[in-house]
Amino acid sequence: MATVDRIEGVLAPDEIGRRIREVRQETGLSVDEAAERSHLTRQDYQRLEEGNLSPLPGDYVLLVAAAFGVDFRYFISTDLDDEESQTRKIYRAIGEPSTADRLAIRRFMRLCAAEHELEQILDVPHPQLPAPHAVAGSFYKGHGATGAQHERARLRLRNAPINNVFDVLRQAGVRLFRFALAESEVSGLTIIHPTAGACVLVNYDEDLYRQFFSAAHEYAHVLFDRRQVEESGCIVSSKKYSREDLVEIRANTFASEFLLPRSAFDRYSLTSNPQQLMAAIKQIARDYRVNTPVVAIALKEAGRISERTLRSFQAASGTAIPRADKHDPDIPGGLTERQIRRRHEVSKQGLSGYFLELLRRAIVQHQITFARFAEILDMSVLDARRFVDDVGLGI
């Protein structure tokens, strides 16, 4: 069994124990829960926190790090102190996240750093972020709409649908991950990671088209609110926000216009016949990958339908796009049904198609060992081998 005492520059056992205890308390786990998750006896785990294990088994540190979703280097050195500090800022910004959501946020921070590391290993150039959007005055909705039009023009999208908004963000230099935050009111958050740069988390627990909207919403924060993100550590977007929260209103306006530009309505025949209008709204929603209420509200704001028609549409049944008709762009084609199900499961844990492809390339090109591959996934080597087959990774 390896011992961290023999690693040059490693922190003292009592400092390692203090860091482990601090992370456990931040995460909301009891000693018994932490010991169980780490596959250690309660006595060994407690001695680890107290700094009373000498020599200190390195395997224990690795087990605890995996249980907490923390890079083990934070426990044995000061190299990742900035990342840990930012994690705690996110917790404070959210308020009172559950233990499950705290662990998801820790995993998010780790995957941001891991994706950066993989790109460097593979010599994959990371796109440079667009320049921040300059704004003047307090017309926040106008800023959002104008910014979306500018960004569409920069990307040469005209009024065409965006096939994969996740990739749009990645190609703009934003790292995007999705996590199921079922116990949280968070729809998304944006950070400037100490090493990985601009990173966005989208709540996978929401409807897929809503996730597209959240991704575009967070992109607005990257474009408009980068200085605020850098100063505060993060911007957290809630499912519920106040009408006085102009920054969120601007981001929502940007997302709506970015995904569904008002000029797109010229492509459709919008009649006053209720059935034909409902069919047109559903077709627009399918084409532009937004939910039908977003289309109806946009039509009202563009003066294409009346307030009365909007209310009639909102009161009607059968207006939603079925969940089965919504395709997740992070799930590649050519997989078996079992592999597709598994891909959906791991997507909830932040493993995007882009991230998995980087991992696949790194192992195929012998840039990382399989042990490192498993470590990045927080898995044992045996579980990682099963994982490769389960998701159809093609290694």
Side-chain angles (χ1 to χ4, degrees), residues 102-306:
R102 287 172 184 263
L103 290 169
I105 290 164
R106 286 195 171 279
R107 183 171 171 84
F108 164 62
M109 294 293 290
R110 277 199 67 188
L111 291 182
C112 291
E115 184 172 286
H116 171 67
E117 175 191 346
L118 289 168
E119 285 181 344
Q120 288 191 315
I121 289 171
L122 293 167
D123 198 24
V124 174
H126 189 71
Q128 186 175 358
L129 288 172
H133 283 204
V135 294
S138 57
F139 186 30
Y140 281 71
K141 290 187 72 173
H143 296 157
T146 302
Q149 292 160 9
H150 171 82
E151 196 60 17
R152 274 188 154 266
R154 187 185 73 83
L155 296 170
R156 299 181 181 178
L157 290 169
R158 299 180 182 271
N159 64 1
I162 295 175
N163 293 325
N164 186 343
V165 69
F166 300 152
D167 272 355
V168 168
L169 267 68
R170 291 176 183 129
Q171 290 164 11
V174 179
R175 303 186 190 281
L176 185 142
F177 299 89
R178 295 182 292 161
F179 286 86
L181 302 175
E183 300 175 62
S184 174
E185 285 298 314
V186 174
S187 59
L189 61 87
T190 298
I191 66 168
I192 305 296
H193 190 279
T195 58
C199 302
V200 159
L201 181 154
V202 169
N203 191 345
Y204 189 97
D205 193 54
E206 297 186 320
D207 166 81
L208 181 61
Y209 281 7
R210 175 63 199 184
Q211 292 178 50
F212 296 166
F213 191 91
S214 293
H217 178 105
E218 298 308 316
Y219 189 35
H221 288 318
V222 173
L223 295 173
F224 288 102
D225 310 307
R226 205 172 306 171
R227 179 176 294 181
Q228 180 181 339
V229 176
E230 290 170 346
E231 291 175 353
S232 64
C234 71
I235 284 183
V236 175
S237 302
S238 175
K239 298 174 186 177
K240 300 176 182 177
Y241 61 91
S242 164
R243 290 184 177 181
E244 284 72 44
D245 194 340
L246 299 179
V247 168
E248 288 297 283
I249 290 172
R250 177 171 61 198
N252 269 353
T253 305
F254 173 94
S256 181
E257 179 69 20
F258 187 62
L259 293 176
L260 179 60
R262 301 302 175 259
S263 59
F265 297 144
D266 295 336
R267 304 172 62 184
Y268 298 88
S269 175
L270 300 169
T271 71
S272 58
N273 180 284
Q275 290 184 333
Q276 292 177 352
L277 179 62
M278 182 178 293
I281 289 175
K282 293 181 78 170
Q283 188 59 53
I284 295 170
R286 290 178 189 276
D287 291 345
Y288 282 84
R289 297 166 179 81
V290 297
N291 284 318
T292 50
V294 173
V295 179
I297 292 170
L299 285 169
K300 164 61 176 61
E301 292 183 347
R304 307 298 283 265
I305 63 174
S306 66

